[in-house]
């Protein structure tokens, strides 16, 4: 499925705090289940889809929700909720409502860093990753890629290339497939790292 002869890969030295969970993103990406917008705008619809994402094994759910629906989803969905935003106002409203993270476009990267939002920088395609990597690093944000609108074969190819290229959050409609890609790439990346990198990042630099 994934060629073990990976090209040189960028180092990702990042942890991400979402609620009470801390994720080590050095070589393992997060699986974000893309949940559809509720057809009737009901809280029960949102809770059902977010809970389904949790049941499928997603690390978080990602959606485009109004602030009125973010809070119930965050409190009762079983996984952290990320919200796609396209403006500073939308990001601040989502975070106030309880979103654990906002997905921002490149144009909001500077605002996210300045405001200290818990954010991920969403790239549109593989060609955008190299240009966005320095922006993400400057803002201490993970890079995110969205394969939810792609055919399965293309989504698999994009995920398999994006994670070694530095993406650490994958938005998907097929949690189980993406989880298999994440774990396979994580094993390949870990095998390429120096043994000292395998220590818990909180322990690095500590004495014996």
């Amino acid at each position: 499925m994934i060629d073990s002869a990976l090209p040189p890969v960028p180092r990702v030295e990042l942890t991400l705090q979402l609620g009470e969970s801390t994720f080590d993103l050095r070589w393992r990406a997060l699986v974000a289940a893309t949940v559809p917008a509720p057809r009737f705008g009901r809280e029960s619809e949102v809770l059902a889809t977010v809970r389904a994402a949790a049941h499928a094994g997603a690390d978080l759910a990602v959606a485009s929700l109004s602030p009125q629906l973010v809070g119930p989803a965050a409190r009762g969905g079983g996984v952290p909720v990320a919200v796609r935003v396209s403006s500073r106002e939308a990001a601040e409203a989502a975070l106030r409502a309880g979103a654990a993270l906002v997905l921002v476009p490149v144009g909001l990267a500077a605002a996210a860093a300045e405001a200290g939002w818990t954010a991920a920088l969403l790239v549109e395609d593989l060609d955008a990753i190299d240009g966005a990597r320095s922006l993400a690093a400057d803002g201490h944000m993970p890079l995110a890629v969205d394969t939810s609108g792609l055919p399965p074969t293309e989504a698999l190819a994009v995920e398999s290339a994006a994670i070694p290229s530095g993406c650490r959050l994958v938005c998907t409609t097929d949690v189980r497939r993406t989880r298999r890609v994440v774990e396979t790439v994580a094993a390949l990346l870990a095998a390429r790292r120096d043994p000292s990198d395998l220590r818990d990042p909180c322990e690095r630099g500590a004495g014996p």
Side-chain angles (χ1 to χ4, degrees), residues 13-17 22-27 193-207:
E13 300 295 338
L14 190 64
T15 59
L16 182 65
Q17 183 79 33
T22 300
F23 297 93
D24 179 358
L25 303 183
R26 285 175 294 170
W27 50 78
R193 301 293 287 267
D194 185 274
S196 65
D197 287 337
L198 301 179
R199 297 171 59 189
D200 187 300
C202 297
E203 298 174 355
R204 296 176 68 189

Side-chain angles (χ1 to χ4, degrees), residues 79-92:
V79 289
V81 172
V83 177
R84 299 171 184 270
V85 298
S86 58
S87 69
R88 178 189 291 266
E89 294 76 17
E92 292 173 345

